[in-house]
Amino acid sequence: MTQTQNAPARVNARLGYNNYGKAEVNLMKVKRDTERHEIRELQVRVAMTGDFAAAHEQGDNTDLIATDTVRNTIYGLAKEGFNGSPEEFGKELVAHFVKTGPRVTGGFMEFTEYLWERIQVGGQGHDHSFVRQMPQRTGRVESEDGQTFKVTSGIENLYVLKTTESGWANYLLNERFTTLPETHERLMASYVTAKWEYNEGEVDYDAVWGRVYRQIQETFTDHYSPSLQNTLFLMGQAVLTMCPEISRIYFRMPNKHHLQYNLQRFGLENNLEIFHVDPEPYGLMEGWVERA
Amino acid sequence: MTQTQNAPARVNARLGYNNYGKAEVNLMKVKRDTERHEIRELQVRVAMTGDFAAAHEQGDNTDLIATDTVRNTIYGLAKEGFNGSPEEFGKELVAHFVKTGPRVTGGFMEFTEYLWERIQVGGQGHDHSFVRQMPQRTGRVESEDGQTFKVTSGIENLYVLKTTESGWANYLLNERFTTLPETHERLMASYVTAKWEYNEGEVDYDAVWGRVYRQIQETFTDHYSPSLQNTLFLMGQAVLTMCPEISRIYFRMPNKHHLQYNLQRFGLENNLEIFHVDPEPYGLMEGWVERA
Amino acid sequence: MTQTQNAPARVNARLGYNNYGKAEVNLMKVKRDTERHEIRELQVRVAMTGDFAAAHEQGDNTDLIATDTVRNTIYGLAKEGFNGSPEEFGKELVAHFVKTGPRVTGGFMEFTEYLWERIQVGGQGHDHSFVRQMPQRTGRVESEDGQTFKVTSGIENLYVLKTTESGWANYLLNERFTTLPETHERLMASYVTAKWEYNEGEVDYDAVWGRVYRQIQETFTDHYSPSLQNTLFLMGQAVLTMCPEISRIYFRMPNKHHLQYNLQRFGLENNLEIFHVDPEPYGLMEGWVERA
Amino acid sequence: MTQTQNAPARVNARLGYNNYGKAEVNLMKVKRDTERHEIRELQVRVAMTGDFAAAHEQGDNTDLIATDTVRNTIYGLAKEGFNGSPEEFGKELVAHFVKTGPRVTGGFMEFTEYLWERIQVGGQGHDHSFVRQMPQRTGRVESEDGQTFKVTSGIENLYVLKTTESGWANYLLNERFTTLPETHERLMASYVTAKWEYNEGEVDYDAVWGRVYRQIQETFTDHYSPSLQNTLFLMGQAVLTMCPEISRIYFRMPNKHHLQYNLQRFGLENNLEIFHVDPEPYGLMEGWVERA
């Protein structure tokens, strides 16, 4: 605990933006009031902001909420509170910590929801047996005062692919490092991440999520794509059209390249049949689509 | 490249079991002879066995097939050859390398198939747009002579959960380290891995896979489970009943624990509603179910 | 490509913030001008910003740089250009794309550097043989004009643990959901992520990184820690003291909980000897430390 | 719980090879009897074999050890028992379950040990502060009777690379799918997995592990490698030479390809300087080296 003798005197330093809380709290809630059970599974992170300078600078923990308490609270409030969407539950959580923590003034709750469908038996969804789905629902609820909230919702792990109706042409060709030939026929695939913000007013977050999830897939199918960028924009425009609740939407779309394997060397044709699914590198597009 | 002076004389050593080949070859094949395209995506490993002692012991590569050639061959043969199941493609690959490699006498092909479904538009599956599914199909084709094959097929990433109709009781209770109370009502969940072997004769591997995939889920729903072991056995028995082609089936079933969170400390009841989804440790059961 | 008949008219939409480029470009450069070779391995992402509205909104790719070209350029410029730090290489890359792309006005380059040490033979580092290390160096170089740059450098995968000299006490105790007892003796562990910004002026990025990397570890050892927050602050202060080039530093520090396993139930004492290393949930602290 | 009416009668089935137990039990033991603390961290799996047919076939759990008890036992026995190597601890665990479980006749314990080094302060390893290392130690202890044991030890996550002194030539060249040119100068890299078995007699497992770990690296540096296969063999032979306790050793060595990037297209030379580090596919070699 002694300091090295020749160490320089410590500079004056101060705490900048900071937060703390609990991450990767894995919660499942089962609604079992009828024989047809319902389940929701969330991975939750809660972080609090406020006046935590004493803890950082002087090691004074007075009035701090323990992160273990954050965990207990998430499970505790889920019992009576998590009856609607994860976004509404997030509002309740952040409001609770602002009310409870003497030093807490705001914070955020982030979640990933793992989606389950009923197992099909004889063409019917089973009452109490479920199977995990691939796409994930995400969201973030943030507040500076514990009373007004900024909500963002999203989608992850949505992997889509089309085998025709896409190309890439007319780009900058006469350039030293450009060797890629133009094409009007290729495979196009992306591992879509989306997130969106809301206009003011009441929102049925569960209903909106379902609409966005279906619309993104539908728009992906419905046009010749001259670039992933154009498809990104059209998907955003379609979502804004179908969901008046949404103010703007962001996409992160890697271009998962499927490279036609060179079979000519072996005397074989390859008419867009045999592809190397290249894990890296990938083109990566990010963009927001907003109401004009 | 000089050896350390005082190093002991090298012992006599010889090569034991060995193989080599190419792993993680990512292949997509698109069938586009009608407007309704079909796709199959495999991650393939091919390994060859044979007389490779000279390469290992003397550094003599004569007559060895390069692993780069293995890759080229997988893509090359996929063009005309991969028209049915991945298992049949595996037979073709292994047979090819035995025929081609002067030193190759056998080998195996392993695959993971990533599953895609058509995107739904207006209640119809789209002609050329697809969305990735979570479960994966696996398989392994092995041969010692390039002519007769041992085939194993399997399922991975099948995550199932039931909210009632399972328990764990009547086990060894009076034991120093046993603290778990018995229960007749709990959540049960597992991330099922299955693999199975076949009886002799023709097999429609694609059709069998679909039947096993549905049967595992159905049996999971249809009984009160006194243990994951019993459910494992009943799933195996049901598969053997529905699939006469299968000789025996193996399951690896982690017991993904959902622990009722202790809410009593906060004055709240928890009637199997609020759970901590515990990532570790998990009970792990492995077992083969065979025809009696 | 026809639109569904009853679909509502598309709303007016416009492109907001966006960028595109290439991600996960894996580059190794070998310096072999003497017998003592040197290697550097980077995973690079380059993203360009500028006027890309036509591509998104009208599908007009005119004057766009292909992401394949971005990849070629990274490898191409590395040949003559990547002779110093990855941060300097990043500046060169971003400047290049602003100069080259008619529509490009700015962009950023992000990297993860994988670190290699020479294999020890007879107490000496070998001339041309290396072994990968666990910690990773990160960085980001951003520019709005291709001429002035904002540089951030960082550390990932630095996992530290101390078996004494830490505690957690004096926090908010009389609260409904608080059950954790205070402690003045525990294990403390964190998987440290750091990143820092620079003051104006010349910087030797490689030298600074080494100093930060050592200082974080040293400060971790040198005090009784009443909280991870206090340790975070002290580490930041020490870095600012040792590195006048740095203007402020951020830490993301999960509290990797090591829970004393309850052995009393089996008639055994546990004096901070036997721990469950809990993968989740974890306390998570984020904070900036700045010059006062 | 009713069976579908038209379902076929269930076939007779029986249980084949099976086991069960607990996996991913994360244990840290701290030795704090002097001021210079010592730590060991294991991820443990224990599986029991025996007569478990009643549980599987009839749902009769009588005399079964709960997997929760397996977890408790691992932590409980670690308190007094885990004073030497993980392998010796594994023997104790398996013997315990055979003694304790009325139906248990054998089993195995597998571990991954995460390695920590002391943080360096002023050139000295610190008394109680540690930093995680990249390589991992593995092992498996198996017994059919709880009294005699088969022990396997291993290494994972050892990533080595050399920038010269390796090539690949003289292989089968005149073959339809072979396009790779020969080379006598390339980068060679592998992510080495090793495991080895022991001769009868007392073994100091910790000491042997250290010797193997160093020898693999040293041999990797000390010869011109005409193939990864030859290097695999030489490493095995060197280990057998330095470790008379070891009867045979297995390696799994992916050939992590570093592809010279084609810079000629841009008018640049590339004399083994600029490489694409290709994540897939990779050549994969497996082999045992045994005493002749």
Side-chain angles (χ1 to χ4, degrees):
Chain A
M1 232 183 306
T2 62
Q3 200 153 340
T4 314
Q5 289 200 321
N6 297 332
R10 289 187 188 171
V11 298
N12 278 331
R14 67 165 179 233
L15 185 65
Y17 172 80
N18 68 95
N19 67 62
Y20 80 96
K22 206 79 168 181
E24 297 199 14
V25 177
N26 291 306
L27 161 71
M28 174 162 287
K29 178 159 187 179
V30 183
K31 213 174 139 193
R32 50 203 317 138
D33 45 355
T34 74
E35 283 212 347
R36 197 157 180 83
H37 294 178
E38 286 169 29
I39 61 175
R40 297 199 82 155
E41 182 179 358
L42 301 183
Q43 185 173 81
V44 177
R45 177 184 173 196
V46 168
M48 300 168 288
T49 53
D51 178 10
F52 309 141
H56 286 81
E57 300 182 4
Q58 283 95 46
D60 173 2
N61 299 330
T62 308
D63 284 344
L64 283 200
I65 293 181
T67 66
D68 187 73
T69 300
V70 173
R71 177 180 61 150
N72 281 345
T73 306
I74 292 167
Y75 288 104
L77 293 187
K79 161 73 186 177
E80 278 158 18
F82 176 24
N83 295 309
S85 67
E87 285 90 345
E88 295 293 355
F89 181 44
K91 290 180 190 174
E92 190 179 357
L93 282 167
V94 175
H96 171 89
F97 288 111
V98 173
K99 226 178 310 164
T100 304
R103 296 181 166 283
V104 180
T105 54
F108 58 85
M109 176 270 207
E110 294 173 345
F111 68 87
T112 298
E113 180 171 11
Y114 302 105
L115 304 177
W116 295 88
E117 281 194 3
R118 293 178 189 280
I119 291 178
Q120 294 292 309
V121 182
Q124 303 287 327
H126 195 265
D127 270 357
H128 60 253
S129 299
F130 302 86
V131 59
R132 176 74 75 84
Q133 301 301 299
M134 184 164 155
Q136 295 169 355
R137 176 172 166 179
T138 58
R140 179 184 167 99
V141 177
E142 185 161 15
S143 178
E144 288 183 18
D145 58 7
Q147 294 175 322
T148 55
F149 299 93
K150 187 183 163 198
V151 177
T152 311
S153 303
I155 289 169
E156 286 190 3
N157 278 20
L158 175 60
Y159 193 2
V160 290
L161 176 146
K162 60 198 291 188
T163 49
T164 184
E165 295 287 320
S166 92
W168 171 247
N170 301 327
Y171 47 91
L172 189 69
L173 286 161
N174 296 312
E175 192 272 343
R176 183 185 185 192
F177 293 111
T178 299
T179 57
L180 186 79
E182 295 176 281
T183 179
H184 295 278
E185 180 68 298
R186 61 168 182 174
L187 253 62
M188 188 169 92
S190 190
Y191 209 78
V192 180
T193 298
K195 63 181 180 190
W196 54 90
E197 296 173 359
Y198 296 94
N199 293 313
E200 290 198 16
E202 287 280 294
V203 177
D204 181 340
Y205 297 105
D206 287 355
V208 169
W209 195 90
R211 260 183 283 148
V212 176
Y213 176 63
R214 285 186 300 272
Q215 190 58 50
I216 287 173
Q217 293 180 70
E218 250 184 68
T219 303
F220 182 77
T221 70
D222 78 1
H223 61 283
Y224 171 84
S225 171
S227 68
L228 211 48
Q229 284 95 331
N230 184 237
T231 293
L232 181 158
F233 184 80
L234 292 175
M235 294 191 329
Q237 189 180 38
V239 166
L240 293 180
T241 300
M242 302 302 291
C243 302
E245 301 92 333
I246 294 178
S247 61
R248 60 184 199 134
I249 182 166
Y250 159 93
F251 295 95
R252 182 188 182 278
M253 290 175 62
N255 193 343
K256 306 286 277 183
H257 302 298
H258 291 65
L259 309 175
Q260 244 195 119
Y261 206 76
N262 179 352
L263 302 182
Q264 243 179 327
R265 301 173 291 174
F266 324 129
L268 294 167
E269 270 189 323
N270 189 357
N271 296 317
L272 294 160
E273 291 159 290
I274 303 297
F275 293 88
H276 168 218
V277 188
D278 201 11
E280 60 81 32
Y282 45 81
L284 184 51
M285 288 70 184
E286 292 187 293
W288 284 93
V289 184
E290 308 176 333
R291 296 185 183 275
Chain B
M1 232 184 305
T2 62
Q3 200 153 339
T4 313
Q5 288 199 321
N6 297 330
R10 289 187 187 171
V11 298
N12 276 333
R14 68 165 178 233
L15 185 64
Y17 171 80
N18 68 94
N19 68 62
Y20 80 97
K22 206 78 167 181
E24 297 198 14
V25 177
N26 291 307
L27 161 71
M28 174 164 285
K29 177 158 187 178
V30 183
K31 214 174 139 193
R32 51 202 318 137
D33 45 356
T34 75
E35 284 213 345
R36 197 158 180 83
H37 295 179
E38 286 169 29
I39 61 174
R40 296 198 83 155
E41 181 179 358
L42 301 183
Q43 184 172 80
V44 177
R45 176 184 173 195
V46 168
M48 301 170 287
T49 52
D51 178 11
F52 309 141
H56 286 81
E57 299 181 4
Q58 283 96 46
D60 173 1
N61 299 330
T62 308
D63 284 342
L64 283 201
I65 293 181
T67 66
D68 187 73
T69 301
V70 173
R71 177 179 61 149
N72 281 345
T73 306
I74 292 168
Y75 289 104
L77 293 189
K79 161 73 184 177
E80 278 157 18
F82 176 24
N83 296 310
S85 67
E87 285 90 344
E88 295 293 354
F89 182 44
K91 290 180 189 174
E92 189 179 358
L93 282 167
V94 175
H96 171 90
F97 289 109
V98 173
K99 226 179 308 165
T100 305
R103 295 180 167 281
V104 180
T105 54
F108 58 85
M109 177 270 209
E110 293 173 345
F111 68 87
T112 297
E113 179 170 13
Y114 302 105
L115 304 177
W116 295 87
E117 280 195 4
R118 293 179 187 280
I119 291 179
Q120 293 293 311
V121 182
Q124 303 286 328
H126 195 265
D127 269 359
H128 61 253
S129 299
F130 302 86
V131 59
R132 176 74 74 85
Q133 301 301 298
M134 183 165 155
Q136 294 169 358
R137 175 172 168 180
T138 58
R140 179 184 167 100
V141 177
E142 185 162 15
S143 178
E144 287 183 19
D145 58 9
Q147 292 174 323
T148 56
F149 300 93
K150 187 183 161 195
V151 178
T152 311
S153 304
I155 290 170
E156 285 188 5
N157 278 20
L158 175 60
Y159 191 3
V160 290
L161 176 146
K162 60 199 290 187
T163 50
T164 184
E165 294 288 317
S166 91
W168 171 247
N170 300 326
Y171 47 90
L172 189 69
L173 286 162
N174 295 312
E175 192 272 342
R176 183 184 185 194
F177 292 111
T178 300
T179 57
L180 186 78
E182 294 175 280
T183 181
H184 295 277
E185 180 68 299
R186 61 169 182 174
L187 254 64
M188 189 170 92
S190 191
Y191 209 79
V192 180
T193 298
K195 63 182 181 191
W196 54 89
E197 296 173 359
Y198 296 93
N199 293 313
E200 291 195 16
E202 287 280 295
V203 177
D204 181 340
Y205 297 105
D206 287 354
V208 169
W209 194 90
R211 258 183 284 147
V212 176
Y213 177 64
R214 286 187 300 273
Q215 189 58 51
I216 287 174
Q217 293 180 70
E218 249 183 69
T219 302
F220 182 77
T221 71
D222 78 1
H223 61 284
Y224 171 83
S225 171
S227 68
L228 212 48
Q229 284 95 332
N230 184 238
T231 293
L232 180 159
F233 184 80
L234 292 175
M235 294 191 330
Q237 188 181 37
V239 167
L240 293 181
T241 300
M242 301 303 291
C243 303
E245 302 92 333
I246 294 179
S247 62
R248 59 184 200 134
I249 181 164
Y250 159 93
F251 293 96
R252 182 186 182 278
M253 290 175 61
N255 193 342
K256 306 286 275 184
H257 301 299
H258 290 65
L259 309 175
Q260 243 194 120
Y261 206 76
N262 180 353
L263 302 182
Q264 242 178 329
R265 302 172 291 174
F266 324 131
L268 294 167
E269 270 190 320
N270 189 357
N271 296 316
L272 295 160
E273 292 159 289
I274 304 298
F275 293 88
H276 168 218
V277 188
D278 201 11
E280 61 80 30
Y282 46 81
L284 184 51
M285 288 70 185
E286 293 187 292
W288 284 93
V289 184
E290 309 176 334
R291 296 183 184 276
Chain C
M1 234 184 308
T2 62
Q3 200 152 340
T4 314
Q5 289 199 322
N6 297 331
R10 290 188 188 169
V11 298
N12 278 332
R14 68 164 177 233
L15 185 65
Y17 171 80
N18 68 94
N19 68 62
Y20 80 97
K22 206 79 167 182
E24 295 198 15
V25 177
N26 291 307
L27 161 70
M28 175 163 286
K29 178 158 186 178
V30 183
K31 213 174 138 193
R32 51 203 317 135
D33 44 355
T34 75
E35 284 212 345
R36 196 156 181 85
H37 294 178
E38 285 169 30
I39 61 175
R40 297 198 82 155
E41 181 179 358
L42 302 182
Q43 184 172 81
V44 176
R45 176 184 174 195
V46 168
M48 300 169 288
T49 53
D51 179 11
F52 309 140
H56 286 81
E57 300 180 3
Q58 283 96 47
D60 173 2
N61 299 330
T62 309
D63 285 344
L64 283 202
I65 293 181
T67 65
D68 186 74
T69 301
V70 173
R71 177 179 60 149
N72 281 344
T73 306
I74 292 167
Y75 289 104
L77 293 189
K79 160 73 184 175
E80 278 158 18
F82 176 24
N83 296 309
S85 67
E87 286 89 345
E88 296 292 355
F89 182 44
K91 290 180 189 173
E92 189 180 358
L93 282 166
V94 175
H96 171 90
F97 289 110
V98 173
K99 227 178 310 166
T100 305
R103 296 181 167 284
V104 180
T105 55
F108 58 86
M109 176 271 208
E110 293 173 345
F111 68 87
T112 297
E113 179 170 13
Y114 302 105
L115 303 178
W116 295 86
E117 280 195 4
R118 294 179 187 280
I119 291 178
Q120 294 293 309
V121 182
Q124 303 287 328
H126 194 265
D127 270 0
H128 61 254
S129 300
F130 303 86
V131 59
R132 176 74 74 85
Q133 301 301 298
M134 182 165 156
Q136 295 169 357
R137 175 172 167 179
T138 59
R140 179 184 167 99
V141 177
E142 186 161 16
S143 177
E144 288 183 17
D145 58 8
Q147 293 173 323
T148 56
F149 300 92
K150 188 183 160 196
V151 178
T152 311
S153 304
I155 290 170
E156 286 188 5
N157 277 22
L158 175 60
Y159 192 1
V160 290
L161 176 146
K162 60 197 292 187
T163 50
T164 185
E165 295 287 318
S166 91
W168 171 247
N170 300 326
Y171 48 89
L172 190 68
L173 286 161
N174 295 312
E175 193 271 343
R176 182 184 186 194
F177 292 111
T178 299
T179 56
L180 186 77
E182 295 175 280
T183 181
H184 296 277
E185 180 67 300
R186 60 169 182 173
L187 253 63
M188 189 170 92
S190 190
Y191 209 77
V192 180
T193 298
K195 63 182 180 189
W196 55 89
E197 296 173 0
Y198 296 93
N199 294 313
E200 291 197 15
E202 287 280 295
V203 178
D204 180 339
Y205 298 105
D206 287 355
V208 170
W209 194 89
R211 258 183 284 148
V212 176
Y213 176 63
R214 285 186 302 272
Q215 190 58 52
I216 287 174
Q217 293 180 69
E218 251 183 67
T219 303
F220 182 75
T221 70
D222 78 0
H223 61 283
Y224 171 84
S225 171
S227 69
L228 212 47
Q229 284 94 333
N230 185 238
T231 293
L232 181 158
F233 184 80
L234 292 176
M235 294 190 331
Q237 188 181 37
V239 166
L240 294 180
T241 300
M242 301 302 292
C243 303
E245 302 91 335
I246 294 179
S247 62
R248 58 183 200 135
I249 180 164
Y250 159 93
F251 294 96
R252 182 186 182 279
M253 290 175 62
N255 193 342
K256 307 286 275 183
H257 301 299
H258 290 66
L259 309 175
Q260 241 194 121
Y261 206 76
N262 180 352
L263 302 182
Q264 243 178 329
R265 302 173 290 174
F266 323 130
L268 293 168
E269 270 191 320
N270 190 356
N271 296 316
L272 294 161
E273 292 158 287
I274 303 298
F275 294 88
H276 169 218
V277 187
D278 201 11
E280 61 80 32
Y282 46 82
L284 184 51
M285 288 69 185
E286 292 187 294
W288 284 93
V289 183
E290 307 176 334
R291 295 184 184 276
Chain D
M1 233 184 309
T2 62
Q3 200 154 339
T4 314
Q5 288 200 320
N6 297 332
R10 289 186 189 171
V11 298
N12 278 331
R14 67 164 179 233
L15 184 65
Y17 172 80
N18 68 94
N19 67 62
Y20 80 96
K22 206 79 168 181
E24 296 198 16
V25 177
N26 291 307
L27 161 70
M28 174 162 288
K29 178 158 187 179
V30 183
K31 214 174 138 193
R32 50 202 317 135
D33 44 355
T34 74
E35 284 212 344
R36 197 158 180 83
H37 294 178
E38 286 169 28
I39 61 175
R40 297 198 82 154
E41 182 179 357
L42 301 183
Q43 185 173 82
V44 176
R45 176 184 175 197
V46 168
M48 300 169 289
T49 52
D51 178 11
F52 308 140
H56 286 81
E57 299 182 2
Q58 284 96 45
D60 173 0
N61 299 330
T62 308
D63 284 343
L64 283 201
I65 293 181
T67 66
D68 187 72
T69 300
V70 173
R71 178 181 58 150
N72 282 345
T73 306
I74 292 167
Y75 289 104
L77 293 188
K79 161 73 185 178
E80 278 157 18
F82 176 24
N83 295 309
S85 68
E87 285 89 345
E88 295 292 355
F89 181 44
K91 289 179 190 174
E92 190 180 358
L93 282 166
V94 175
H96 171 90
F97 289 110
V98 173
K99 227 178 309 165
T100 304
R103 295 180 168 283
V104 180
T105 54
F108 58 85
M109 176 271 207
E110 293 173 345
F111 68 87
T112 298
E113 179 171 11
Y114 302 105
L115 304 178
W116 295 87
E117 280 194 5
R118 295 179 187 278
I119 291 178
Q120 294 292 310
V121 182
Q124 303 286 328
H126 195 265
D127 269 358
H128 61 253
S129 300
F130 302 86
V131 58
R132 176 74 75 85
Q133 301 301 298
M134 183 164 155
Q136 295 169 356
R137 176 172 166 179
T138 59
R140 179 184 168 99
V141 177
E142 186 161 16
S143 178
E144 288 183 17
D145 58 8
Q147 293 174 322
T148 55
F149 299 93
K150 186 183 163 196
V151 177
T152 312
S153 304
I155 289 170
E156 286 190 3
N157 279 20
L158 174 61
Y159 192 2
V160 290
L161 176 146
K162 60 199 289 188
T163 50
T164 186
E165 294 288 319
S166 91
W168 171 247
N170 300 328
Y171 47 90
L172 189 69
L173 286 161
N174 295 313
E175 193 273 341
R176 183 185 185 193
F177 293 111
T178 299
T179 57
L180 186 78
E182 295 176 281
T183 180
H184 295 277
E185 179 68 298
R186 62 170 182 173
L187 253 62
M188 188 170 92
S190 190
Y191 209 78
V192 180
T193 298
K195 63 180 180 191
W196 54 90
E197 296 173 359
Y198 295 93
N199 293 314
E200 290 196 16
E202 288 280 295
V203 177
D204 181 340
Y205 298 104
D206 287 356
V208 169
W209 194 89
R211 259 183 283 148
V212 176
Y213 177 63
R214 285 186 300 273
Q215 190 59 51
I216 287 173
Q217 293 180 69
E218 252 184 67
T219 302
F220 182 76
T221 70
D222 79 359
H223 61 284
Y224 171 84
S225 171
S227 69
L228 212 47
Q229 284 95 331
N230 185 236
T231 293
L232 181 158
F233 184 79
L234 292 176
M235 293 191 330
Q237 187 180 39
V239 167
L240 294 180
T241 300
M242 301 302 292
C243 303
E245 301 92 333
I246 294 179
S247 61
R248 59 185 200 134
I249 182 165
Y250 158 93
F251 294 96
R252 182 187 182 278
M253 290 175 63
N255 193 343
K256 308 285 276 183
H257 301 299
H258 289 66
L259 309 175
Q260 244 194 119
Y261 205 77
N262 179 352
L263 303 182
Q264 244 181 325
R265 301 173 292 173
F266 324 131
L268 293 167
E269 269 190 321
N270 190 357
N271 296 316
L272 294 161
E273 292 159 289
I274 303 298
F275 294 88
H276 168 218
V277 187
D278 201 11
E280 60 80 34
Y282 46 83
L284 184 51
M285 288 69 185
E286 291 187 293
W288 284 92
V289 183
E290 308 176 333
R291 295 185 184 276

